[in-house]
Amino acid sequence: LTMPTWFYLAVGLLLAVAVGGVVLAWRRGSLRRLTGYQRTALLFLALAAVTQQVFILYTITRCNQSCYQGRYLFPAIAPLGIWLAVGIAGPRRERPVLALVVAGLMLAGGLYAGVGVIQPAFGPVPEPKWRLWRVPPTEITFGEQFRLRGYGVRVEGSPARRVTATLYWERLDEANNDYAAFTHLSDQSGRMIAQADQVPGLDRDYPPLEWVPGDVLRDDHVMDLPAGLEPGRYTIWVGLYNWETGDRLAATGDAGHAAEQDAVVLAEIEIQ
């Protein structure tokens, strides 16, 4: 996992400030006012951090890319953290305001990393079923393998630039193929204006063959609209097909009737 670029820039700036603080404390003689034990401890921690860094550098130059892992630097976190504190606050404890501000920012950064980056990456792919309470329901089935449980439609831009159709698929039985879903946007004459095709869940490494019966997957289809599209009423169609052969799964609408050409109307929308 990687953090956003701004996060690395902020950490780099913090380290630069800390190094500057250590140099400034040394030039002012603040470090020399520490006890001999404190100076020895800081020196030992610095040597420990440098030794770990050298060891990692030695290891990765003699190994493949599997050795490029941040966890190998974990032993150096504690000594580097103490030197970071020395650089930010210095040994002068009577003015800890800057240190407290930096500590608060680091705490916020740690919470962001956990909630904003790590948790979404390792969270379960299937949607909790209570999400279906918040979307228009459908009971459209495709073959005996999938049911479209709900959907959402969003038109973006003024004038409209794209339409996003959010589909909520449920697996009913054992799938025999990683079927692709399509959404088509057509005008009142039936002419297709825009489309989006993709295998649900493939972008999160969880294609239909991996689904467990009962799983509900969210599937966002983004359809870019052509420039100069006339305002009016448009129809969104949806279906599933075998991407290897192009054959569509038989579709049955909400009323239980077989859909013509195995595609069903998802919604009719107004585009301004």
PDB file of all heavy atoms in Angstrom, residues 226-241:
ATOM      1  N   PRO A 226     -21.403  12.177 -24.957  1.00  0.00           N
ATOM      2  CA  PRO A 226     -20.805  12.933 -26.064  1.00  0.00           C
ATOM      3  C   PRO A 226     -21.075  14.421 -25.922  1.00  0.00           C
ATOM      4  O   PRO A 226     -22.082  14.836 -25.325  1.00  0.00           O
ATOM      5  CB  PRO A 226     -21.512  12.344 -27.291  1.00  0.00           C
ATOM      6  CG  PRO A 226     -22.800  11.798 -26.766  1.00  0.00           C
ATOM      7  CD  PRO A 226     -22.516  11.312 -25.386  1.00  0.00           C
ATOM      8  N   ALA A 227     -20.163  15.201 -26.425  1.00  0.00           N
ATOM      9  CA  ALA A 227     -20.326  16.654 -26.360  1.00  0.00           C
ATOM     10  C   ALA A 227     -21.557  17.077 -27.172  1.00  0.00           C
ATOM     11  O   ALA A 227     -21.859  16.503 -28.225  1.00  0.00           O
ATOM     12  CB  ALA A 227     -19.074  17.342 -26.895  1.00  0.00           C
ATOM     13  N   GLY A 228     -22.253  18.073 -26.679  1.00  0.00           N
ATOM     14  CA  GLY A 228     -23.399  18.601 -27.399  1.00  0.00           C
ATOM     15  C   GLY A 228     -24.640  17.728 -27.348  1.00  0.00           C
ATOM     16  O   GLY A 228     -25.528  17.868 -28.200  1.00  0.00           O
ATOM     17  N   LEU A 229     -24.732  16.837 -26.350  1.00  0.00           N
ATOM     18  CA  LEU A 229     -25.901  15.972 -26.242  1.00  0.00           C
ATOM     19  C   LEU A 229     -27.151  16.808 -25.962  1.00  0.00           C
ATOM     20  O   LEU A 229     -27.159  17.659 -25.078  1.00  0.00           O
ATOM     21  CB  LEU A 229     -25.688  14.944 -25.131  1.00  0.00           C
ATOM     22  CG  LEU A 229     -26.800  13.914 -24.924  1.00  0.00           C
ATOM     23  CD1 LEU A 229     -26.898  12.997 -26.142  1.00  0.00           C
ATOM     24  CD2 LEU A 229     -26.552  13.096 -23.661  1.00  0.00           C
ATOM     25  N   GLU A 230     -28.190  16.534 -26.716  1.00  0.00           N
ATOM     26  CA  GLU A 230     -29.435  17.280 -26.555  1.00  0.00           C
ATOM     27  C   GLU A 230     -30.109  16.932 -25.228  1.00  0.00           C
ATOM     28  O   GLU A 230     -30.158  15.765 -24.841  1.00  0.00           O
ATOM     29  CB  GLU A 230     -30.396  16.967 -27.710  1.00  0.00           C
ATOM     30  CG  GLU A 230     -29.939  17.488 -29.060  1.00  0.00           C
ATOM     31  CD  GLU A 230     -29.989  19.003 -29.126  1.00  0.00           C
ATOM     32  OE1 GLU A 230     -30.832  19.612 -28.418  1.00  0.00           O
ATOM     33  OE2 GLU A 230     -29.175  19.584 -29.864  1.00  0.00           O
ATOM     34  N   PRO A 231     -30.631  17.926 -24.518  1.00  0.00           N
ATOM     35  CA  PRO A 231     -31.402  17.625 -23.305  1.00  0.00           C
ATOM     36  C   PRO A 231     -32.624  16.781 -23.656  1.00  0.00           C
ATOM     37  O   PRO A 231     -33.177  16.883 -24.748  1.00  0.00           O
ATOM     38  CB  PRO A 231     -31.801  19.010 -22.786  1.00  0.00           C
ATOM     39  CG  PRO A 231     -30.836  19.963 -23.433  1.00  0.00           C
ATOM     40  CD  PRO A 231     -30.505  19.373 -24.760  1.00  0.00           C
ATOM     41  N   GLY A 232     -33.015  15.947 -22.707  1.00  0.00           N
ATOM     42  CA  GLY A 232     -34.180  15.114 -22.956  1.00  0.00           C
ATOM     43  C   GLY A 232     -34.224  13.927 -22.037  1.00  0.00           C
ATOM     44  O   GLY A 232     -33.482  13.840 -21.056  1.00  0.00           O
ATOM     45  N   ARG A 233     -35.095  12.986 -22.377  1.00  0.00           N
ATOM     46  CA  ARG A 233     -35.290  11.787 -21.569  1.00  0.00           C
ATOM     47  C   ARG A 233     -34.532  10.628 -22.205  1.00  0.00           C
ATOM     48  O   ARG A 233     -34.670  10.373 -23.406  1.00  0.00           O
ATOM     49  CB  ARG A 233     -36.773  11.468 -21.456  1.00  0.00           C
ATOM     50  CG  ARG A 233     -37.096  10.434 -20.387  1.00  0.00           C
ATOM     51  CD  ARG A 233     -38.592  10.440 -20.091  1.00  0.00           C
ATOM     52  NE  ARG A 233     -38.932   9.534 -19.004  1.00  0.00           N
ATOM     53  CZ  ARG A 233     -38.797   9.825 -17.720  1.00  0.00           C
ATOM     54  NH1 ARG A 233     -38.330  11.009 -17.372  1.00  0.00           N
ATOM     55  NH2 ARG A 233     -39.132   8.954 -16.774  1.00  0.00           N
ATOM     56  N   TYR A 234     -33.773   9.927 -21.376  1.00  0.00           N
ATOM     57  CA  TYR A 234     -32.944   8.831 -21.868  1.00  0.00           C
ATOM     58  C   TYR A 234     -33.169   7.590 -21.007  1.00  0.00           C
ATOM     59  O   TYR A 234     -33.628   7.684 -19.853  1.00  0.00           O
ATOM     60  CB  TYR A 234     -31.471   9.224 -21.848  1.00  0.00           C
ATOM     61  CG  TYR A 234     -31.133  10.313 -22.840  1.00  0.00           C
ATOM     62  CD1 TYR A 234     -31.328  11.661 -22.518  1.00  0.00           C
ATOM     63  CD2 TYR A 234     -30.644  10.002 -24.099  1.00  0.00           C
ATOM     64  CE1 TYR A 234     -31.041  12.665 -23.425  1.00  0.00           C
ATOM     65  CE2 TYR A 234     -30.342  11.003 -25.017  1.00  0.00           C
ATOM     66  CZ  TYR A 234     -30.551  12.325 -24.669  1.00  0.00           C
ATOM     67  OH  TYR A 234     -30.268  13.314 -25.586  1.00  0.00           O
ATOM     68  N   THR A 235     -32.854   6.428 -21.581  1.00  0.00           N
ATOM     69  CA  THR A 235     -33.098   5.144 -20.926  1.00  0.00           C
ATOM     70  C   THR A 235     -31.785   4.421 -20.668  1.00  0.00           C
ATOM     71  O   THR A 235     -30.909   4.403 -21.547  1.00  0.00           O
ATOM     72  CB  THR A 235     -34.004   4.251 -21.799  1.00  0.00           C
ATOM     73  OG1 THR A 235     -35.224   4.933 -22.082  1.00  0.00           O
ATOM     74  CG2 THR A 235     -34.304   2.928 -21.094  1.00  0.00           C
ATOM     75  N   ILE A 236     -31.654   3.842 -19.475  1.00  0.00           N
ATOM     76  CA  ILE A 236     -30.487   3.039 -19.133  1.00  0.00           C
ATOM     77  C   ILE A 236     -30.882   1.564 -19.164  1.00  0.00           C
ATOM     78  O   ILE A 236     -31.837   1.154 -18.489  1.00  0.00           O
ATOM     79  CB  ILE A 236     -29.935   3.399 -17.738  1.00  0.00           C
ATOM     80  CG1 ILE A 236     -29.518   4.865 -17.694  1.00  0.00           C
ATOM     81  CG2 ILE A 236     -28.752   2.500 -17.380  1.00  0.00           C
ATOM     82  CD1 ILE A 236     -29.039   5.325 -16.324  1.00  0.00           C
ATOM     83  N   TRP A 237     -30.152   0.787 -19.966  1.00  0.00           N
ATOM     84  CA  TRP A 237     -30.362  -0.648 -20.072  1.00  0.00           C
ATOM     85  C   TRP A 237     -29.222  -1.369 -19.356  1.00  0.00           C
ATOM     86  O   TRP A 237     -28.099  -0.861 -19.295  1.00  0.00           O
ATOM     87  CB  TRP A 237     -30.398  -1.084 -21.535  1.00  0.00           C
ATOM     88  CG  TRP A 237     -31.494  -0.463 -22.342  1.00  0.00           C
ATOM     89  CD1 TRP A 237     -31.509   0.796 -22.886  1.00  0.00           C
ATOM     90  CD2 TRP A 237     -32.737  -1.067 -22.694  1.00  0.00           C
ATOM     91  NE1 TRP A 237     -32.676   1.017 -23.554  1.00  0.00           N
ATOM     92  CE2 TRP A 237     -33.458  -0.113 -23.459  1.00  0.00           C
ATOM     93  CE3 TRP A 237     -33.316  -2.302 -22.448  1.00  0.00           C
ATOM     94  CZ2 TRP A 237     -34.718  -0.375 -23.973  1.00  0.00           C
ATOM     95  CZ3 TRP A 237     -34.574  -2.577 -22.971  1.00  0.00           C
ATOM     96  CH2 TRP A 237     -35.266  -1.613 -23.712  1.00  0.00           C
ATOM     97  N   VAL A 238     -29.517  -2.561 -18.863  1.00  0.00           N
ATOM     98  CA  VAL A 238     -28.485  -3.322 -18.168  1.00  0.00           C
ATOM     99  C   VAL A 238     -28.619  -4.803 -18.523  1.00  0.00           C
ATOM    100  O   VAL A 238     -29.714  -5.304 -18.807  1.00  0.00           O
ATOM    101  CB  VAL A 238     -28.588  -3.117 -16.632  1.00  0.00           C
ATOM    102  CG1 VAL A 238     -29.902  -3.656 -16.097  1.00  0.00           C
ATOM    103  CG2 VAL A 238     -27.428  -3.785 -15.905  1.00  0.00           C
ATOM    104  N   GLY A 239     -27.474  -5.498 -18.499  1.00  0.00           N
ATOM    105  CA  GLY A 239     -27.481  -6.932 -18.770  1.00  0.00           C
ATOM    106  C   GLY A 239     -26.151  -7.558 -18.405  1.00  0.00           C
ATOM    107  O   GLY A 239     -25.185  -6.864 -18.043  1.00  0.00           O
ATOM    108  N   LEU A 240     -26.085  -8.875 -18.482  1.00  0.00           N
ATOM    109  CA  LEU A 240     -24.863  -9.635 -18.222  1.00  0.00           C
ATOM    110  C   LEU A 240     -24.559 -10.498 -19.439  1.00  0.00           C
ATOM    111  O   LEU A 240     -25.475 -11.018 -20.093  1.00  0.00           O
ATOM    112  CB  LEU A 240     -25.016 -10.533 -16.991  1.00  0.00           C
ATOM    113  CG  LEU A 240     -25.016  -9.877 -15.616  1.00  0.00           C
ATOM    114  CD1 LEU A 240     -25.372 -10.907 -14.545  1.00  0.00           C
ATOM    115  CD2 LEU A 240     -23.660  -9.245 -15.302  1.00  0.00           C
ATOM    116  N   TYR A 241     -23.250 -10.662 -19.736  1.00  0.00           N
ATOM    117  CA  TYR A 241     -22.889 -11.496 -20.885  1.00  0.00           C
ATOM    118  C   TYR A 241     -21.543 -12.175 -20.645  1.00  0.00           C
ATOM    119  O   TYR A 241     -20.740 -11.743 -19.812  1.00  0.00           O
ATOM    120  CB  TYR A 241     -22.840 -10.664 -22.168  1.00  0.00           C
ATOM    121  CG  TYR A 241     -21.732  -9.639 -22.218  1.00  0.00           C
ATOM    122  CD1 TYR A 241     -20.516  -9.921 -22.831  1.00  0.00           C
ATOM    123  CD2 TYR A 241     -21.905  -8.377 -21.650  1.00  0.00           C
ATOM    124  CE1 TYR A 241     -19.496  -8.976 -22.874  1.00  0.00           C
ATOM    125  CE2 TYR A 241     -20.900  -7.430 -21.688  1.00  0.00           C
ATOM    126  CZ  TYR A 241     -19.688  -7.741 -22.301  1.00  0.00           C
ATOM    127  OH  TYR A 241     -18.678  -6.812 -22.335  1.00  0.00           O
TER     128      TYR A 241
END
